[in-house]
Amino acid sequence: MDLAVVWFCVIAVLWLGYLFLEGFDFGVGMLLPVLAKDNTERRVMINTIGPVWDGNEVWVIVAIGATFAAFPGWYASLLSAAFLPLLVVLLGLIGRGVAFEYRGKVDTERWRRWWDRVIMTGSWTAALGFGLIIATTVFGLPLDQNGNRVGSVFAAIRPATVLGAVALAGFSLVHGAVFLSLKTDGEIRLRARRLATRFGPFALLPLGALLVWVQVDSGSVWTWVAVAVVVVAAASAFERLEKGREGQAFAALGVVIAASVVGLFGALYPNVLPSTLDPAFSLTVENTASSPYTLTVMSWVALFGTPAVLVYQGWTYWVFRKRVSAAHIPPVHVP
Amino acid sequence: MDVLDLARWQFGITTVYHFLMVPLTIGLSVLVAGMQTAWVRTGDVKYLRMTKFWGKLLLINFAMGVVTGIVQEFQFGMSWSEYSRFVGDVFGAPLAMEGLVAFFVESTFLGLWIFGWDRLPKRVHLACAWAFSLATIASAYFILAANSWMQHPVGVVMDEGRPRLTSIWAVLANNTAVAAVPHTVAGCFAVAGAFLVGIGAWHLWRDRGDQPVWRSSIKLGSWVGVVAFSALAITGDLQSKLMFEQQPMKMAAAEALCHTEKPAGFSVFAIGDVGRPDCESVKSITVPALLSFLAHSDFDTEVRGVEDLVVEYQERYGTNYPVDERLGELSGKPIDYVPVLPVTYWGFRLMIGFGAVSAFIGVVVLWLTRKGRLPRTKWFPRLALAGIATPFIGNSMGWIFTEMGRQPFVVVPNPSGVDGVWMFTARGVSGLTVGEVLTSLIALTLVYAALAAVEVFLIARYVRAGVAGVMPEKPDKPDEPSDTLAFAY
């Protein structure tokens, strides 16, 4: 099999890992002001992702780094053409990362309220922004023959990509709510579950709409199958949740995002970033791939690196598998 | 200002800022892992208290290192897309390896370390600290391998106008990288050492308890600082010898050496403008023949000056930029091969100077506190606290010198390497609008400034509180089983 195609799949898998993992911690951040009634409950929510959010975030760093290594043309064109949306995403990621660490370091209401706002806004902007950027790579940009943007600064912002933004934010909300009902105990668990069952189906609608749009645009038989899987998995997620099987519901949402990534990247292939001006200018797996030697080197690194990552990250989730509840939260101790 | 200037300012600001957090994280994480090891081995609670106190400061700082690091990775594509297209086949590989091999380990095991107190077995928990701290060094290695390739491209052939990787081993074992890694890592330890000395000495002088903790911290920090400085001197010498070979212009600029000299003297200090166009600065203190020795380990050799090198560079790489609209104002203009002399000259001197001052302060503090002594003068804590800043400044100056000294190139031509593997900085920038880059420059600078204030505020607060601020005395209820988390945000 062609190594460039393998690397296209690897990058899809890295995005899948990222959307699955950080999807729920975006959701937790987005729901912070909605689900928690007091500071202890907010701390319960934050501590469900405390030990893992940073590890989750590395998935996108590796996805972007791997794109640089395997498809430099894709990396260069996408990141420069979608400059402003990416800037907003970066500011969001900066804010929420610092906020998790700094929020509890001073014991005043004002201090916490500020960082809560940063967590919430950062989570929203990053989820919306990454949705927009993924949709942009699928729907394309006005690129010239050199892969540079011809259109305006806001070329990446149009109905199809905005739908992508809403789709990822919606998924993150549901995923976060189900994760919270899986990882917490007490009042907040019930609240999270109720929220997910009541509003979850609506929050997933944009994702469905996005997938259908992409398929109509450039889909094939097997990407339609992926969409069907998304629908079935989403339905079963809510069915399991109603039965109180939170773990299974969470896993079903994993299938939802996995099949969505298959649907999106499958429809994109063999392009990696279509040009909306002229299909001849589109960036493809073939014309942006690094040399076979570089891809071989990267394949060896990934072959040994990825299983190791999965093992020790899996272990982290095992170590911190216990549900968190208000009773577990130690009193605030700051200097 | 055009897109090129703005993109350069942004890269400079975000990188220097990022590299304020990184050295402290690298150095301190290893020292904290060492403290925890001492605790696990001896059971002495003093070492546990040290681990907790310095560990907390490490975490406050680490958060900023992570979030500013993300910007670095995206920035190549966002602002330097032409550069990314040119070097992607080579440069992306170490970058991706950094993520896959180092960042995953760092972030995952740091999470385990922070939240794993009392939950993981002692030794497993300690292993997490080591996994985290060693991964920070691995991360430094990969990113320096990538940077060294820009300073000295190896392991490639030119293929359809772009360098194509032929040997990843050549890139990873690039002699430039092999010299840069220990030098940079030693700089990180100098920072961590001075941090321990400064804060420890201040607490010792304040005399509010935990004296053994502060004494041990000072001792550790001073020794680390002194050893780090020796390592910096040795590896710095190695690096400069390589650079005389690989980037003669950078070294000539470091000396503001305009005319070729034989033997060449080393300028310690200059009065007046070293960058004057006629190149006739007043160098007040010069050590005769030392530069020849630094360059070639021989007091009698010739060192080429800026003027001769310009002629050579013009012959090899052209006198004018090509006519190309993507070069903006520079299209067709003459190429200036001389880096900004005042920046390189003073950057080089301040790097060495602040590094030396930092080591000197460590030794002084160690001497003043010998055998349980403690000076009661106000100068003592002031000196120690001021000492914290010195290696930070030295590190920043080193980077500014290294990166500014390679201008106008972003990929510096390798004199003995493959023809054509080089790139002008002006060529590497993305085709963006001034508005876009200006927006991001302003936004990032403001956010960074605000966060710097927050970090300094928090660190100062935790420093003032001492160990008690991070280790509350546990209530005496040993029989009561508790579900409370050992640590929670």
Side-chain angles (χ1 to χ4, degrees):
Chain A
M1 198 174 172
D2 186 4
L3 273 183
V5 180
V6 172
W7 272 91
F8 181 76
C9 299
V10 170
I11 286 164
V13 169
L14 289 166
W15 275 107
L16 160 59
Y18 181 64
L19 299 177
F20 175 70
L21 293 169
E22 192 133 280
F24 67 71
D25 68 48
F26 282 152
V28 170
M30 291 151 80
L31 290 169
L32 197 59
V34 180
L35 276 180
K37 292 259 191 292
D38 56 30
N39 183 43
T40 309
E41 289 193 347
R42 277 190 282 274
R43 291 181 67 199
V44 169
M45 288 177 69
I46 293 169
N47 280 293
T48 58
I49 55 169
V52 295
W53 72 266
D54 192 11
N56 294 348
E57 193 153 288
V58 176
W59 283 82
V60 77
I61 295 178
V62 176
I64 296 292
T67 310
F68 195 173
F71 303 99
W74 182 10
Y75 168 81
S77 295
L78 178 65
L79 269 64
S80 59
F83 189 92
L84 286 182
L86 274 164
L87 175 68
V88 175
V89 168
L90 286 175
L91 293 173
L93 290 179
I94 291 173
R96 70 193 288 276
V98 173
F100 287 135
E101 190 57 48
Y102 288 177
R103 180 188 183 276
K105 295 270 183 290
V106 173
D107 187 20
T108 69
E109 255 325 296
R110 223 181 111 191
W111 175 269
R112 280 192 289 261
R113 208 165 44 234
W114 267 103
W115 289 114
D116 286 342
R117 279 187 205 129
V118 175
I119 291 176
M120 188 197 62
T121 335
S123 301
W124 273 100
T125 49
L128 288 165
F130 274 126
L132 185 105
I133 283 150
I134 293 170
T136 301
T137 206
V138 175
F139 286 105
L141 279 162
L143 301 177
D144 64 14
Q145 64 270 39
N146 299 316
N148 290 321
R149 189 189 67 214
V150 185
S152 93
V153 173
F154 301 103
I157 300 164
R158 40 186 217 272
T161 59
V162 171
L163 179 62
V166 181
L168 183 57
F171 171 78
S172 300
L173 275 175
V174 183
H175 203 35
V178 173
F179 177 78
L180 283 168
S181 62
L182 175 66
K183 286 293 295 178
T184 57
D185 225 341
E187 263 293 295
I188 199 158
R189 175 185 178 186
L190 298 175
R191 243 179 275 143
R193 196 158 74 191
R194 211 176 313 134
L195 186 86
T197 34
R198 249 185 232 165
F199 302 104
F202 301 102
L204 285 186
L205 284 181
L207 179 64
L210 173 77
L211 287 168
V212 170
W213 189 332
V214 171
Q215 304 317 316
V216 170
D217 213 41
S218 55
S220 55
V221 177
W222 64 281
T223 52
W224 275 109
V225 174
V227 179
V229 173
V230 170
V231 175
V232 174
S236 75
F238 294 114
E239 188 265 338
R240 293 281 86 192
L241 196 62
E242 300 233 359
K243 293 257 161 65
R245 304 305 302 265
E246 290 140 346
Q248 292 177 5
F250 185 67
L253 283 174
V255 177
V256 167
I257 196 67
S260 303
V261 169
V262 170
L264 293 173
F265 279 74
L268 175 62
Y269 182 84
N271 288 331
V272 291
L273 182 62
S275 169
T276 51
L277 290 184
D278 183 343
F281 301 157
S282 289
L283 303 183
T284 65
V285 167
E286 205 181 320
N287 71 20
T288 55
S290 286
S291 66
Y293 175 77
T294 300
L295 293 176
T296 310
V297 168
M298 294 301 302
S299 301
W300 282 106
V301 176
L303 197 63
F304 287 98
T306 321
V309 172
L310 291 174
V311 167
Y312 61 68
Q313 285 209 338
W315 180 58
T316 309
Y317 283 89
W318 174 252
V319 169
F320 301 108
R321 65 190 177 281
K322 269 191 172 170
R323 287 177 184 271
V324 186
S325 75
H328 296 119
I329 299 295
V332 180
H333 173 81
V334 294
Chain B
M1 284 220 242
D2 57 8
V3 171
L4 175 64
D5 293 329
L6 292 167
R8 286 184 65 190
W9 273 108
Q10 176 173 317
F11 202 92
I13 290 170
T14 52
T15 308
V16 168
Y17 185 77
H18 177 59
F19 206 73
L20 293 175
M21 329 297 164
V22 169
L24 185 59
T25 297
I26 294 178
L28 202 53
S29 66
V30 174
L31 297 185
V32 168
M35 294 168 192
Q36 194 177 343
T37 309
W39 173 60
V40 171
R41 290 185 66 111
T42 64
D44 186 343
V45 76
K46 172 180 80 176
Y47 295 118
L48 175 63
R49 295 177 78 77
M50 283 170 76
T51 311
K52 292 268 186 176
F53 176 76
W54 297 108
K56 183 62 81 179
L57 299 186
L58 169 68
L59 296 182
I60 294 173
N61 176 67
F62 180 77
M64 294 280 286
V66 173
V67 296
T68 54
I70 303 175
V71 176
Q72 296 304 102
E73 203 205 33
F74 281 65
Q75 192 162 206
F76 298 111
M78 288 168 71
S79 305
W80 302 95
S81 58
E82 293 299 332
Y83 165 80
S84 304
R85 287 192 188 107
F86 182 68
V87 301
D89 203 62
V90 197
F91 190 83
L95 213 65
M97 289 181 196
E98 185 186 19
L100 201 61
V101 180
F103 286 161
F104 266 131
V105 178
E106 266 176 63
S107 56
T108 311
F109 286 92
L110 184 69
L112 282 159
W113 188 71
I114 302 175
F115 293 87
W117 286 99
D118 296 349
R119 184 172 298 204
L120 290 167
K122 241 185 203 178
R123 281 171 194 280
V124 176
H125 186 247
L126 176 62
C128 291
W130 279 109
F132 163 67
S133 55
L134 295 179
T136 63
I137 294 179
S139 161
Y141 166 71
F142 285 114
I143 200 67
L144 287 169
N147 179 273
S148 297
W149 188 85
M150 300 161 76
Q151 313 278 353
H152 182 233
V154 290
V156 289
V157 292
M158 278 307 266
D159 185 10
E160 293 175 19
R162 274 176 204 172
R164 183 161 60 76
L165 187 63
T166 54
S167 166
I168 186 72
W169 303 114
V171 172
L172 294 178
N174 190 349
N175 55 12
T176 319
V178 171
V181 172
H183 190 68
T184 313
V185 172
C188 301
F189 280 102
V191 163
F195 197 66
L196 259 61
V197 171
I199 293 170
W202 182 73
H203 264 296
L204 202 57
W205 174 84
R206 266 209 334 173
D207 197 14
R208 301 222 179 132
D210 270 320
Q211 298 301 78
V213 165
W214 308 124
R215 277 201 187 274
S216 295
S217 299
I218 289 175
K219 211 166 164 190
L220 175 66
S222 302
W223 282 112
V224 166
V226 171
V227 172
F229 184 71
S230 323
L232 279 169
I234 296 165
T235 52
D237 181 55
L238 279 176
Q239 259 194 311
S240 61
K241 283 190 172 55
L242 280 178
M243 246 184 288
F244 274 110
E245 219 175 87
Q246 297 169 352
Q247 299 182 55
M249 183 65 94
K250 185 191 279 183
M251 291 315 286
E255 281 299 309
L257 180 73
C258 288
H259 313 293
T260 300
E261 286 179 22
K262 183 191 170 179
F266 180 84
S267 162
V268 180
F269 201 81
I271 294 170
D273 184 2
V274 289
R276 269 188 1 210
D278 58 353
C279 229
E280 298 299 332
S281 65
V282 186
K283 291 179 186 162
S284 55
I285 310 170
T286 305
V287 183
L290 182 59
L291 189 62
S292 294
F293 183 76
L294 290 177
H296 310 291
S297 306
D298 180 346
F299 284 108
D300 206 27
T301 48
E302 177 183 277
V303 177
R304 282 179 299 164
V306 168
E307 286 178 345
D308 285 0
L309 287 166
V310 165
V311 176
E312 189 190 316
Y313 276 66
Q314 283 175 339
E315 273 167 22
R316 292 181 82 147
Y317 313 111
T319 52
N320 291 64
Y321 283 107
V323 179
D324 183 338
E325 58 169 306
R326 278 180 295 171
L327 283 169
E329 293 170 3
L330 289 174
S331 170
K333 290 270 169 60
I335 304 164
D336 185 2
Y337 285 107
V338 187
V340 186
L341 289 182
V343 173
T344 49
Y345 180 89
W346 287 113
F348 193 63
R349 261 140 212 83
L350 292 173
M351 167 184 77
I352 297 172
F354 277 102
V357 169
S358 157
F360 176 72
I361 292 176
V363 173
V364 169
V365 171
L366 206 55
W367 172 255
L368 292 175
T369 55
R370 71 193 184 283
K371 292 182 189 149
R373 271 174 240 215
L374 184 60
R376 300 270 34 131
T377 66
K378 277 209 162 176
W379 280 105
F380 176 70
R382 282 182 191 164
L383 174 81
L385 284 178
I388 295 176
T390 53
F392 279 105
I393 301 173
N395 276 338
S396 299
M397 289 300 155
W399 271 113
I400 290 169
F401 161 65
T402 287
E403 301 301 292
M404 289 293 283
R406 66 172 154 79
Q407 302 304 327
F409 296 105
V410 60
V411 178
V412 184
N414 176 355
S416 56
V418 192
D419 267 352
V421 185
W422 46 273
M423 185 183 220
F424 289 119
T425 309
R427 262 262 131 91
V429 76
S430 303
L432 299 164
T433 61
V434 170
E436 279 170 293
V437 200
L438 194 60
T439 309
S440 77
L441 176 62
I442 293 172
L444 287 170
T445 310
L446 289 180
V447 168
Y448 279 14
L451 291 180
V454 176
E455 182 182 345
V456 170
F457 162 74
L458 279 178
I459 285 191
R461 201 178 165 100
Y462 274 83
V463 163
R464 241 181 266 127
V467 185
V470 292
M471 254 181 105
E473 294 299 324
K474 283 198 176 150
D476 292 328
K477 282 183 265 173
D479 298 332
E480 193 177 300
S482 164
D483 268 348
T484 314
L485 299 169
F487 177 83
Y489 274 144

